[in-house]
Amino acid sequence: MRIGAIEAGGTKFVCGVGDEHGNILDRISFPTGQPEPTLERVIAYFRDKEVEAIGIGSFGPIDIDPDSPTYGHVTTTPKPGWSGFDFLGTMKRAFDVPFGWDTDVNAAAYGEAMWGAAKGLDSCVYYTFGTGVGVGIFAEGRLVHGLVHPEGGHVLIRRHPDDSFPGSCPYHGDCLEGMASGPAIERRWGVKGSELAPDHPAWPIEAYYIGQALASTIVLLSPKKVILGGGVMHQRQLFPMIREEVKRNLNGYVAHDAILKHLDDYIVPPGLGDNAGLCGALALGLAALRGRS
């Protein structure tokens, strides 16, 4: 099979072609610009690829309700030019193939469940910490959507006692995204996180916020694996700090060996690495193709 995959991020688009085993056979990436010229590049890439289906994992918020008149649209994103844009409809007008459509983080969670760190499990949660903070949820063998779709980056958190940064979220100020995203780190410290030393005081503060969010996720959703991706999580020194914060917040309440004894294997980086989102989009396309047949 030849399946098209689109990981549509707020900073860059990654397009690729893969097979039913999760192998990426070809890929291209370019910056996310205004919607029309960006999708012109996407369409041009797939013109000669002869794909049987295309999966799209998109930054959001997006409308994923097939019964909605704005199904396939990007909705209340602060990304200039994209709010209200008919992403899926534009692609459908260019290609007569089945389409899978979901959030970029739900796609990544799905890819990790199919071929990555959560392979063989019927539940996992995938967080991305990058330009924004997003959460994808795979539970009881299926992706979770609900009223719109999970927006776990906008949960409210307790402020670190040494942190006076007001928050960078234009909607909520000091929500998780407003305090722990890549832009929040840069605005708080004046440089990108990648330029900060591993022992910089930024990282215990970052772990403090992420640990709170994960503890809440664990008691609320009880996932069998928690996966942390995105550019911020390239700072691998964060993982042990985050695990300690999760243990401190749970305080022994969740009495399962995965938490009490094997936290290093429970809170993990993506098994698919930076391909989690693209492989997830591939999985969405594959599911759409199999659903039509």
Side-chain angles (χ1 to χ4, degrees):
M1 292 181 178
R2 289 178 61 84
I3 310 296
I6 303 170
E7 180 187 6
T11 302
K12 69 176 180 178
F13 266 58
V14 183
C15 302
V17 176
D19 63 21
E20 68 272 28
H21 305 296
N23 300 308
I24 303 298
L25 308 175
D26 187 71
R27 63 187 292 154
I28 188 174
S29 67
F30 45 84
T32 303
Q34 289 295 304
E36 288 83 2
T38 300
L39 287 201
E40 285 175 7
R41 295 187 71 174
V42 173
I43 292 166
Y45 171 76
F46 284 111
R47 279 285 185 214
D48 62 351
K49 297 299 187 290
E50 299 181 346
V51 295
E52 300 171 65
I54 297 175
I56 305 171
S58 175
F59 71 93
I62 59 175
D63 190 339
I64 54 176
D65 179 4
D67 296 324
S68 168
T70 56
Y71 173 62
H73 289 59
V74 180
T75 59
T76 55
T77 179
K79 183 73 176 172
W82 285 86
S83 186
F85 180 69
D86 186 7
F87 188 157
L88 182 59
T90 301
M91 292 301 299
K92 283 186 170 181
R93 287 188 287 274
F95 300 100
D96 183 21
V97 298
F99 276 87
W101 167 251
D102 215 312
T103 65
D104 50 356
V105 277
N106 256 4
Y110 194 28
E112 288 291 322
M114 288 280 287
W115 301 302
K119 184 178 180 180
L121 302 178
D122 66 357
S123 73
C124 70
V125 170
Y126 183 98
Y127 272 85
T128 183
F129 291 90
T131 305
V133 177
V135 180
I137 301 170
F138 183 74
E140 310 299 329
R142 59 183 295 175
L143 291 170
V144 172
H145 297 130
L147 185 66
V148 283
H149 51 72
E151 279 290 353
H154 296 272
V155 297
L156 303 180
I157 51 177
R158 294 174 180 170
R159 177 176 289 277
H160 190 284
D162 298 329
D163 188 15
S164 61
F165 178 62
S168 63
C169 175
Y171 290 93
H172 312 115
D174 58 356
C175 62
L176 179 63
E177 180 172 297
M179 302 303 280
S181 65
I185 295 171
E186 183 174 0
R187 287 179 58 181
R188 183 189 283 110
W189 301 105
V191 296
K192 293 183 181 296
S194 58
E195 299 177 37
L196 298 175
D199 61 351
H200 192 278
W203 305 122
I205 292 175
E206 185 76 4
Y208 181 87
Y209 293 129
I210 297 175
Q212 284 185 63
L214 299 195
S216 296
T217 296
I218 290 165
V219 295
L220 183 65
L221 297 173
S222 194
K224 293 180 179 176
K225 189 78 74 174
V226 176
I227 303 163
L228 307 181
V232 172
M233 296 311 304
H234 289 167
Q235 301 288 333
R236 292 305 173 94
Q237 74 275 10
L238 275 172
F239 278 91
M241 293 188 224
I242 290 167
R243 293 178 187 123
E244 286 302 313
E245 287 293 333
V246 168
K247 281 199 290 188
R248 184 180 66 82
N249 280 289
L250 292 177
N251 199 28
Y253 182 72
V254 181
H256 191 284
D257 282 354
I259 306 294
L260 301 178
K261 297 180 180 179
H262 307 297
L263 204 56
D264 288 2
D265 295 321
Y266 180 67
I267 299 173
V268 298
L272 298 170
D274 290 337
N275 276 335
L278 193 61
C279 286
L282 180 64
L284 292 174
L286 183 62
L289 180 62
R290 289 173 172 169
R292 176 177 284 191
S293 61

